[in-house]
Amino acid sequence: TAAPRLGTRASEAIITESSSDAGREIPAPKPAASSPRVVATRPPAPPPAPPIPAPTAPKSSADGERAKALLEGRPAVATEEKRFVVQVGAFADAAAARETRKSAEKLGLKTYTQVAQTPSGSRIRVRVGPFSSRGEAESALAKAKAAGLNAVLLTL
């Protein structure tokens, strides 16, 4: 028998024999496929952290004093902002409360109602406000009294 001849075609090894298999090409066994090459890569860098906002100045001198006292280890003085309302009536009858509320709103005042339980029964309070300053509340009180409403100034 003739010795096998090794040839190459398109980077494959081809074995040809000259015996009974003449003219027939038998492809050489392919080498075992090697595992894919793994390349170590770095994970993507995390996004930069958002900037930390600078501390803001205290909103009022009372806030500043409270913060300063806390930093110095002293008890902070509790300063509450007062709110004011003007009560223009308290009624057992819902219709009377509605009429008084309409009268106050015609004066351009912002109204609300509150139901309160009293020893003599349920009462509907008609109020104007709330106001953050006494001056605003006194102005609303003067308007209500000028319109003939029985109004009083209350501090919340």
Side-chain angles (χ1 to χ4, degrees):
T1 66
R5 194 179 66 164
L6 222 42
T8 60
R9 181 185 308 160
S11 69
E12 273 190 21
I14 307 287
I15 299 175
T16 59
E17 294 193 15
S18 59
S19 64
S20 64
D21 294 334
R24 194 174 123 210
E25 294 182 358
I26 303 170
K30 292 184 181 179
S34 61
S35 62
R37 189 173 142 188
V38 177
V39 178
T41 60
R42 289 185 178 178
I52 299 172
T56 58
K59 293 181 182 177
S60 69
S61 63
D63 286 344
E65 291 300 318
R66 190 172 29 245
K68 186 176 178 182
L70 288 173
L71 289 172
E72 293 173 354
R74 294 182 286 128
V77 178
T79 57
E80 293 183 23
E81 293 184 22
K82 293 183 178 180
R83 293 181 2 158
F84 304 93
V85 295
V86 175
Q87 184 166 306
V88 292
F91 307 93
D93 180 37
R98 236 184 337 270
E99 288 303 314
T100 301
R101 188 172 184 182
K102 283 182 185 178
S103 298
E105 288 178 348
K106 284 181 183 176
L107 299 172
L109 302 172
K110 179 181 164 190
T111 66
Y112 69 96
T113 59
Q114 178 185 36
V115 178
Q117 297 301 321
T118 66
S120 56
S122 179
R123 296 288 184 258
I124 302 168
R125 295 175 178 164
V126 178
R127 292 183 169 180
V128 175
F131 302 100
S132 57
S133 73
R134 181 176 284 276
E136 291 174 315
E138 287 176 348
S139 174
L141 176 67
K143 269 186 183 180
K145 284 189 174 187
L149 297 172
N150 187 16
V152 293
L153 179 64
L154 303 172
T155 304
L156 299 180

